[in-house]
């Protein structure tokens, strides 16, 4: 007989784990002691659910004073640095419980008193656990699945040394790979992301679409977004975008998956100026000036592709970034030499 999953949410799973720990704590505590490097983790006092600083589980020991090991379980929700810092203020050690070690954010491994444990390792401590690996595998984790796909692209290894690559949740809580180049001679960087398209995860059964955004850094200042109706020097982002089109994209837009749709209009003061400025300087290539005027970047976006075609999006992203960075480096060097 096939047993369907019983525990189908994160709170259910963590409470079930607490019950297993309370019933038979010995092997689990041994595992915690080894993982945390704590000698003499004994005199177990008990386990609490949803305890201080919203810890999922709080294990208390007396060795000889009160000693707290906190456990924070994550399936599909984001683990933030602020959350970890708050929890470390109430726990002597924090164990983050994940589906796999690869799901740990890159910044987590460098923190003192913070350790990673997988659900499979935890459940192996209990004989005939009522909470099973099948229960864990049944949890809906669309965002974590996308993040695993992003990490599997190993963009940090595919881009030159010195580039920053960070798999993280974006401003709307959506999975993304944030990418930024070393600083160029003019003080700007090339930056962007590969991300889930749209403002939210699609409904179950609908395809997950991904896209890239690639641009040059543009501070949110009046110098970068002058009034188009008044005399002004050419904004500093214009020539890098011309160079992107001239040296990298021209004639290869389809192969590189570039979207040539019109950019959207912003509602802020600078947002309203972006399109008129792009028309003035970029003429019929307005699609080079996509992006928000919030201080991040202006540049191009790709057409949307299913998650199964992520490798094509990632390959195009790597090619565009590396070729554009080389072209910008050479252009700026030539400009310096000409005026030197």
């Amino acid at each position: 007989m096939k047993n369907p999953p019983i525990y189908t949410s994160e709170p259910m799973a963590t409470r079930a784990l607490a019950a297993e720990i309370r019933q038979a704590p010995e092997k689990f505590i041994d595992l915690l002691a080894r993982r945390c490097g704590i000698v003499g983790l004994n005199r177990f006092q008990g386990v609490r659910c949803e305890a201080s600083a919203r810890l999922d589980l709080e294990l208390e020991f007396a060795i000889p004073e009160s000693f707290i090991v906190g456990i924070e379980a994550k399936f599909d929700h984001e683990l933030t640095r602020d959350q970890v810092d708050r929890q470390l203020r109430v726990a002597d050690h924090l164990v983050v419980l994940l589906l796999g070690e690869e799901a740990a954010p890159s910044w987590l491994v460098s923190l003192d008193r913070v350790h990673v444990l997988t659900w499979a390792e935890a459940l192996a401590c209990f004989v005939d656990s009522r909470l099973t690996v099948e229960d864990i595998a049944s949890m809906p984790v669309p965002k974590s699945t996308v993040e695993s796909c992003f990490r599997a692209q190993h963009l940090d290894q595919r881009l030159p040394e010195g580039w920053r690559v960070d798999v993280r949740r974006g401003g709307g809580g959506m999975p993304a790979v944030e990418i930024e180049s070393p600083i160029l001679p003019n003080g700007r960087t090339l930056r962007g992301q590969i991300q889930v398209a749209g403002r939210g995860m699609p409904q179950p059964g609908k395809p997950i679409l991904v896209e890239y955004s690639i641009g040059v850094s543009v501070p949110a200042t009046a110098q970068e977004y002058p009034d188009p109706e008044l005399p002004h020097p050419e904004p500093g982002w214009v020539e890098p975008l011309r160079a992107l089109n001239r040296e990298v994209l021209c004639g290869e837009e389809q192969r590189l998956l570039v979207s040539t749709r019109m950019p959207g209009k912003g509602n802020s003061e600078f947002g309203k100026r972006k399109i008129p400025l792009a028309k003035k300087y970029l003429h019929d290539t307005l699609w080079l000036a996509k992006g928000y005027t919030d201080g991040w970047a202006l540049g191009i976006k790709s057409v949307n592709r299913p998650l199964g075609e992520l490798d094509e999006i990632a390959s195009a992203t790597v090619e565009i970034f590396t070729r554009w960075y080389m072209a910008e480096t050479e252009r700026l060097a030539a400009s310096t030499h000409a005026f030197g």
Side-chain angles (χ1 to χ4, degrees):
M1 181 180 70
K2 183 177 180 181
N3 292 320
I6 296 175
Y7 306 103
T8 56
S9 70
E10 186 177 293
M12 286 182 179
T14 54
R15 289 169 191 161
L17 177 61
E20 297 295 335
I21 295 170
R22 185 171 62 181
Q23 181 69 20
E26 293 80 9
K27 289 186 178 180
F28 185 74
I29 291 171
D30 286 345
L31 175 61
L32 289 182
R34 293 195 306 273
R35 190 57 50 89
C36 299
I38 303 171
V39 177
L41 188 63
N42 52 25
R43 297 180 64 188
F44 176 57
Q45 302 295 295
V47 57
R48 292 188 293 272
C49 295
E50 298 166 8
S52 309
R54 302 185 68 179
L55 276 166
D56 287 322
L57 299 180
E58 187 177 282
L59 281 67
E60 184 176 3
F61 302 84
I63 51 172
E65 293 120 10
S66 177
F67 188 92
I68 300 297
V69 176
I71 296 179
E72 180 62 31
K74 290 296 180 187
F75 286 97
D76 206 40
H77 292 106
E78 182 181 15
L79 180 72
T80 67
R81 180 64 183 268
D82 178 67
Q83 179 184 19
V84 169
D85 289 342
R86 282 188 288 105
Q87 292 175 339
L88 281 173
R89 288 196 285 269
V90 300
D92 295 284
H93 281 256
L94 177 66
V95 174
V96 180
L97 194 56
L98 300 171
L99 295 174
E101 291 185 1
E102 71 281 355
S106 58
W107 52 264
L108 190 69
V109 296
S110 63
L111 298 182
D112 291 334
R113 300 187 293 122
V114 180
H115 320 275
V116 172
L117 195 66
T118 68
W119 277 98
E121 289 175 311
L123 294 182
C125 296
F126 308 105
V127 177
D128 296 328
S129 172
R130 294 148 185 85
L131 176 67
T132 68
V133 290
E134 288 76 20
D135 290 312
I136 300 304
S138 73
M139 299 288 177
V141 288
K143 291 182 182 179
S144 296
T145 299
V146 173
E147 286 175 328
S148 295
C149 292
F150 286 165
R151 290 189 180 93
Q153 289 294 320
H154 300 294
L155 291 177
D156 55 334
Q157 300 173 24
R158 297 167 66 178
L159 285 161
E161 185 176 354
W163 286 67
R164 180 178 66 84
V165 177
D166 190 13
V167 178
R168 59 189 302 173
R169 301 283 170 98
M174 301 298 289
V177 188
E178 193 172 285
I179 303 167
E180 188 167 21
S181 76
I183 298 175
L184 288 159
N186 60 2
R188 297 181 189 267
T189 61
L190 305 184
R191 51 173 64 159
Q193 54 274 329
I194 298 174
Q195 61 199 4
V196 174
R199 297 184 179 274
M201 294 297 290
Q203 294 297 315
K206 299 289 185 179
I208 297 174
L209 302 178
V210 293
E211 63 183 1
Y212 66 60
S213 296
I214 298 173
V216 62
S217 62
V218 183
T221 65
Q223 182 178 1
E224 300 285 354
Y225 299 102
D227 187 332
E229 302 300 322
L230 298 177
H232 60 266
E234 181 176 284
W237 48 267
V238 172
E239 189 55 34
L241 294 182
R242 289 192 190 116
L244 168 64
N245 188 43
R246 181 177 62 247
E247 304 296 335
V248 181
L249 304 179
C250 190
E252 297 192 82
E253 293 88 352
Q254 185 173 359
R255 181 181 69 82
L256 293 172
L257 308 177
V258 180
S259 169
T260 56
R261 295 180 61 181
M262 277 280 291
K265 297 180 180 179
N267 295 320
S268 67
E269 179 184 7
F270 293 159
K272 293 175 182 177
R273 293 177 179 181
K274 184 187 74 168
I275 298 299
L277 289 169
K279 287 181 178 178
K280 180 180 179 68
Y281 293 109
L282 299 176
H283 308 298
D284 59 348
T285 57
L286 297 183
W287 46 268
L288 289 167
K290 290 188 171 76
Y292 298 106
T293 56
D294 58 0
W296 178 243
L298 292 182
I300 59 172
K301 293 185 76 170
S302 72
V303 294
N304 296 343
R305 282 289 183 266
L307 183 61
E309 298 178 21
L310 175 60
D311 187 60
E312 287 83 350
I313 288 285
S315 296
T317 300
V318 169
E319 179 178 346
I320 293 169
F321 264 132
T322 52
R323 289 176 60 191
W324 189 16
Y325 185 81
M326 185 179 300
E328 273 298 275
T329 301
E330 293 173 355
R331 180 182 72 82
L332 293 169
S335 176
T336 301
H337 180 74
F339 290 99

